[in-house]
Amino acid sequence: WGTVKDGIKKLAEVSGALIPGTNRTLIALRDITEAHLMQEELLRRNMELEAMHTVSDLVSASNDLSVTLQLVLDKVLEITGQLSGQLFLSEENQGKLLIRASSRTSERLLKGLQGMSLGEGISGRVAQTGEAQFIADLSLDPRLTRPIVLEEGIRSLACVPLVSGGRILGALSLGGREVREFPPGERHFLISIG
């Protein structure tokens, strides 16, 4: 990698050869930045497909919904590297979201998230509207209704709807300790899991 004009980073392939009968060397530089970026994208997509296959296998391996939800959540956290996660399912007749699976979530945070209404906060809105939300800095988001989330050190949040047969069943919520943007590939992956 090297930096060229305007501070743009480029990746170059360097090859050289001695010019016969002289003390000179011919050096050729070839810009391979685009090829490298395409290779990285291909690897990312391949990992995403492998992850989707693994999640699909987990879903079909168990008849116990609680076990399946927990396995899927654990795998998604492993793949994304997020700090913690919760899987909410909506109880339509009560208008509430129930936490059906959680991973790397403190008892204090679980207790603080209990009893969330459909439409309340970020997870409640996602479960109500079916629109995924990716929040780089939770401390700046007025939709956060449970301060316990920030108190427990969650700084960024990805929340996607859980959809089956065109029906919204709930929301998958993943939190991280760092303020960070969610790249398009990660957004796409999480929406696909939902």
Side-chain angles (χ1 to χ4, degrees):
W1 287 98
T3 305
V4 295
K5 291 181 182 178
D6 302 325
I8 298 171
K9 289 189 174 202
K10 297 280 186 173
L11 184 62
E13 180 180 73
V14 180
S15 55
L18 284 173
I19 300 174
T22 71
N23 286 337
R24 294 185 171 188
T25 305
L26 178 62
I27 296 177
L29 292 174
R30 186 169 67 112
D31 182 358
I32 59 169
T33 307
E34 190 72 24
H36 179 74
L37 293 175
M38 287 174 64
Q39 183 180 19
E40 283 184 340
E41 176 67 10
L42 188 59
L43 288 171
R44 185 197 59 75
R45 286 185 181 189
N46 190 39
M47 286 175 43
E48 185 177 301
L49 284 172
E50 284 180 32
M52 292 291 287
H53 179 71
T54 301
V55 169
S56 176
D57 285 349
L58 290 172
V59 168
S60 61
S62 175
N63 291 331
D64 184 337
L65 179 63
S66 295
V67 170
T68 300
L69 293 176
Q70 189 63 54
L71 290 171
V72 168
L73 179 58
D74 291 342
K75 190 64 177 176
V76 170
L77 284 173
E78 177 188 321
I79 292 165
T80 62
Q82 291 297 308
L83 173 68
S84 68
Q86 303 80 39
L87 239 155
F88 297 90
L89 293 183
S90 48
E91 292 291 320
E92 291 178 21
N93 57 344
Q94 297 176 10
K96 299 280 184 190
L97 289 176
L98 299 177
I99 299 172
R100 294 295 304 265
S102 67
S103 193
R104 303 184 211 154
T105 305
S106 71
E107 287 298 320
R108 184 171 177 251
L109 181 56
L110 281 175
K111 186 176 179 183
L113 293 174
Q114 291 296 347
M116 188 178 297
S117 297
L118 199 58
E120 176 191 347
I122 298 160
S123 297
R125 285 188 188 186
V126 167
Q128 185 177 53
T129 66
E131 294 176 21
Q133 298 294 315
F134 299 93
I135 300 143
D137 188 349
L138 271 175
S139 68
L140 303 177
D141 199 304
R143 297 171 297 176
L144 183 66
T145 59
R146 306 283 175 115
I148 185 71
V149 174
L150 291 175
E151 292 167 13
E152 287 290 305
I154 307 295
R155 295 293 173 256
S156 57
L157 186 75
C159 190
V160 297
L162 299 174
V163 181
S164 178
R167 207 174 115 219
I168 303 167
L169 303 176
L172 167 65
S173 182
L174 305 174
R177 283 219 188 278
E178 306 293 325
V179 170
R180 71 184 274 278
E181 294 293 332
F182 292 87
E186 188 173 354
R187 290 174 182 230
H188 177 75
F189 169 69
L190 291 172
I191 290 168
S192 297
I193 292 293

